């Protein structure tokens, strides 16, 4: 990807939907409400929705609902449709592949698309060492498999994860995930040999010397676990669900160096940060680190379920033959979508668009912060930006304010997500295909909601 900044964002691709916010009914409208009533009697109540408008089309920077409302999308279905929804290359590739064959199982009779995705990821992920890739269906599954290879490679069992971490909802990944409600509550017991330590959260821990922070964490790991028992350290380079926490400079670098000298596999969970989201292919690049293993999903395939683990060849090859796999992993339609999505990131230089989005959001919210002390922190990289809200009197997290802002933005037709261990973070994950006017309008709505709350 080139370093040239895109001066103005014009909408890219997608179905030819008018790129506008258009509210015809109240949000949610009557047809969405009907569907929500059906869902209430058919879908597990344990699955909840952020904004119950039922989608019928999406593309560029909008989601259109069953009532004909057109909403501004600042969430990308949680950082998935970074290339845009129904992105033209992706749609064409899916249609072509679906008409050829939809499944054979790579473990039965393999196909080229899987190999091509593996080659691409080996080339794109940080580091020029020999790499190998395995494909799966979800981010959680990728994380599970990264832990498996770390264990067979090192012959050790323990895994270190961090405060504010999110790695998934399967049993092992629930254990790695930090936050109890709603992810873990009542679902234990969790897998053993998972240990949690402090990460770097400059806004809350006040520590901007990342190396010092890492040394303290390493000392705790050595005391409580011991490197000779430790298979892997897993961390999101920017903690996503935890609130887009950007670690202090030096934190990740120091941790990686210690892992390398201690025969501990360093796993970067780039499920949310990957694929141009932060302004480069992977967030690890921006911290100058080369992970041993990278987990990926979300933005990889333009919305189709696909996940990947790419790592050092000797680590990835360490399980017994047949030790990794799954019926659907690397499904041919998902692989075709991934190849088309990867081409789109390159051809449209979506990383440059992510950097432009960072500039726009930072400018708007740092200006607001100078007038509004409830904005505690404006942070993030690329099109992964967050605003942390506090009670100015106490510095305590203000989750109620975030709920009010999000609810009002939703009523006004803007899809915005929240995050954070304390629920006090508004996060922006717009599709990189969004046009600049629409992005500005979406931010206006959120700022207006803040001013009125
Ligand atoms: N690792 C870093 O962000 C998924 C979760 C939404 P799956 N994050 C969104 C929710 O409430 O379930 C995620 C992530 C990181 C792993 C995962 C898990 O990816 O594809 O959802 O399994």
């Amino acid at each position: 990807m080139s370093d040239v900044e895109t001066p103005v964002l014009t909408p890219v691709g997608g179905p030819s939907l008018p790129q506008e916010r258009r509210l015809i009914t109240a949000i949610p409208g009557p047809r969405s409400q009907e569907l929500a009533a059906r869902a209430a009697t058919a879908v597990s109540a344990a699955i909840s929705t952020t904004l119950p408008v039922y989608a019928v089309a999406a593309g560029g920077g909008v989601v259109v609902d069953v009532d004909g409302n057109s909403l501004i999308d600042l969430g990308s279905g949680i950082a998935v449709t970074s290339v845009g929804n129904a992105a033209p290359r992706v749609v064409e590739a899916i249609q072509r592949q679906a008409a050829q064959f939809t499944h054979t199982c790579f473990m039965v009779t393999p196909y080229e698309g899987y190999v091509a995705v593996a080659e691409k990821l080996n080339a794109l992920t940080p580091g020029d060492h020999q790499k190998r890739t395995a494909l799966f269906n979800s981010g959680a599954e990728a994380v599970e498999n990264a832990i498996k290879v770390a264990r067979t490679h090192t012959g050790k069992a323990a895994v270190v994860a961090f405060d504010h971490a999110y790695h998934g909802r399967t049993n092992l990944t629930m254990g790695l995930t930090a936050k109890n409600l709603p992810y873990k509550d009542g679902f234990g017991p969790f897998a053993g040999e998972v240990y949690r330590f402090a990460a770097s959260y400059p806004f809350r821990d006040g520590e901007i010397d990342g190396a010092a922070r890492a040394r303290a964490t390493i000392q705790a790991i050595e005391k409580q676990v011991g490197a000779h028992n430790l298979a892997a350290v897993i961390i999101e380079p920017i903690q996503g669900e935890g609130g887009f926490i950007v670690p202090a400079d030096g934190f990740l670098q120091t941790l990686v160096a210690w892992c390398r000298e201690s025969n501990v596999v360093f796993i970067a969970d780039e499920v949310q940060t990957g694929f141009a989201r932060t302004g480069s292919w992977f967030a690890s690049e921006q911290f100058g680190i080369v992970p041993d293993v990278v987990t990926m999903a979300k933005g990889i395939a333009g919305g189709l379920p696909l996940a990947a683990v790419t790592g050092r060849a000797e680590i990835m090859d360490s399980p017994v033959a047949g030790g990794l796999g799954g019926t659907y992993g690397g499904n041919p339609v998902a692989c075709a979508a991934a190849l088309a999505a990867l081409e789109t990131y390159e051809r449209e230089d979506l990383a440059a668009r992510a950097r432009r989005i960072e500039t726009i959001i930072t400018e708007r919210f740092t200006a607001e912060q100078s007038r509004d002390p409830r904005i505690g922190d404006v942070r993030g990289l690329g099109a992964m930006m967050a605003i942390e809200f506090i009670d100015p009197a106490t510095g305590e997290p203000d989750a109620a304010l975030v709920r009010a802002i999000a609810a009002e933005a939703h009523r006004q037709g803007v899809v915005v997500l929240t995050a954070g261990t304390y629920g006090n973070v508004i996060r922006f994950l717009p599709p990189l295909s969004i046009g600049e006017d629409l992005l500005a309008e979406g931010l206006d709505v959120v700022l207006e909601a803040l001013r009125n709350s």
Side-chain angles (χ1 to χ4, degrees):
M1 293 185 201
S2 84
D3 288 335
V4 184
E5 290 283 311
T6 312
V8 176
L9 304 175
T10 48
V12 178
S16 48
L17 297 172
Q19 294 298 301
E20 62 182 15
R21 181 169 62 111
R22 186 181 66 236
L23 297 183
I24 291 173
T25 69
I27 299 290
R31 297 196 57 204
S32 277
Q33 288 184 35
E34 272 169 39
L35 286 165
R38 270 172 64 192
T41 62
V43 178
S44 163
I47 298 188
S48 61
T49 42
T50 303
L51 173 49
V53 300
Y54 279 72
V56 290
V62 299
V63 175
V64 177
D65 76 8
V66 281
D67 292 290
N69 299 299
S70 174
L71 291 83
I72 300 177
D73 183 9
L74 300 183
S76 304
I78 324 186
V80 171
T81 53
S82 304
V83 294
N85 225 311
R89 279 189 198 86
V90 172
V91 171
E92 201 266 327
I94 290 170
Q95 286 172 337
R96 195 166 7 95
Q97 179 58 46
Q100 294 297 320
F101 62 96
T102 49
H103 175 82
T104 59
C105 184
F106 191 75
M107 302 186 305
V108 179
T109 52
Y111 39 86
E112 183 179 351
Y114 189 118
V115 180
V117 171
E119 287 169 344
K120 263 297 207 189
L121 297 179
N122 293 347
L124 291 173
T125 48
D128 50 14
H129 48 277
Q130 279 279 316
K131 295 175 203 157
R132 298 288 185 270
T133 288
L135 300 180
F136 303 98
N137 304 295
S138 68
E141 209 188 340
V143 169
E144 293 259 356
N145 282 279
I147 304 293
K148 285 191 198 174
V149 296
R151 284 178 171 159
T152 50
H153 175 69
T154 59
K156 301 187 278 186
V159 179
V160 161
F162 293 89
D163 290 339
H164 312 291
Y166 185 91
H167 298 291
R169 294 176 183 263
T170 58
N171 187 265
L172 174 57
T173 61
M174 268 192 295
L176 297 169
T177 291
K179 194 174 173 177
N180 179 49
L181 275 170
Y183 308 122
K184 304 165 72 166
D185 200 54
F187 296 145
F190 305 113
E193 289 305 309
V194 173
Y195 301 86
R196 186 175 315 287
F197 291 91
S200 165
Y201 191 164
F203 177 65
R204 296 221 156 260
D205 61 36
E207 176 65 91
I208 52 160
D209 182 346
R213 182 90 185 158
R215 281 194 296 274
T217 289
I218 289 164
Q219 200 176 47
I221 296 172
E222 282 175 335
K223 286 274 173 273
Q224 297 175 37
V225 184
H228 60 289
N229 293 313
L230 185 58
V233 165
I234 181 162
I235 192 163
E236 304 150 81
I238 297 174
Q239 292 181 309
E241 302 302 305
F244 291 11
I245 306 166
V246 184
D249 198 35
F251 181 77
L252 293 172
Q253 295 91 319
T254 305
L255 213 51
V256 170
W258 177 79
C259 285
R260 197 129 308 149
E261 71 200 28
S262 311
N263 184 31
V264 172
V265 175
F266 182 92
I267 304 168
D269 182 350
E270 294 245 21
V271 165
Q272 192 155 165
T273 49
F275 300 103
R277 181 49 58 186
T278 67
S280 54
W281 275 112
F282 295 96
S284 291
E285 296 162 50
Q286 308 212 22
F287 298 99
I289 58 167
V290 175
D292 299 311
V293 172
V294 182
T295 55
M296 294 157 273
K298 290 191 186 283
I300 190 173
L304 266 74
L306 185 70
V309 183
T310 299
R312 293 184 186 279
E314 63 275 20
I315 299 174
M316 295 300 295
D317 289 344
S318 64
V320 64
L324 301 182
T327 305
Y328 294 115
N331 168 274
V333 181
C335 284
L339 294 170
L342 295 173
E343 185 188 336
T344 304
Y345 286 110
E346 263 165 1
R347 292 259 201 110
E348 315 284 351
D349 196 1
L350 296 186
R353 295 175 72 91
R355 295 192 293 272
R356 172 74 186 145
I357 289 168
E358 174 182 334
T359 304
I360 293 169
I361 295 177
T362 306
E363 279 172 4
R364 295 297 301 277
F365 278 88
T366 48
E368 190 71 12
Q369 187 180 26
S370 65
R371 295 186 286 270
D372 189 341
R374 296 174 299 173
I375 297 181
D377 199 18
V378 178
R379 60 174 178 254
L381 281 176
M384 185 173 183
M385 299 295 297
I387 319 297
E388 177 159 354
F389 292 92
I390 55 167
D391 175 345
T394 61
E396 288 298 308
D398 193 346
L401 176 58
V402 159
R403 279 194 299 274
I405 297 168
E408 178 58 13
H410 295 165
R411 276 191 293 274
Q412 297 301 326
V414 176
V415 183
V416 69
L417 307 176
T418 62
T421 298
Y422 315 106
N424 66 325
V425 172
I426 294 270
R427 56 169 155 169
F428 297 114
L429 290 164
L432 306 178
S433 55
I434 197 170
E436 194 149 330
D437 292 349
L438 208 58
L439 175 62
E441 187 179 338
L443 299 176
D444 284 341
V445 168
V446 174
L447 284 164
E448 190 63 22
L450 167 62
R451 289 171 194 149
N452 293 333
S453 295

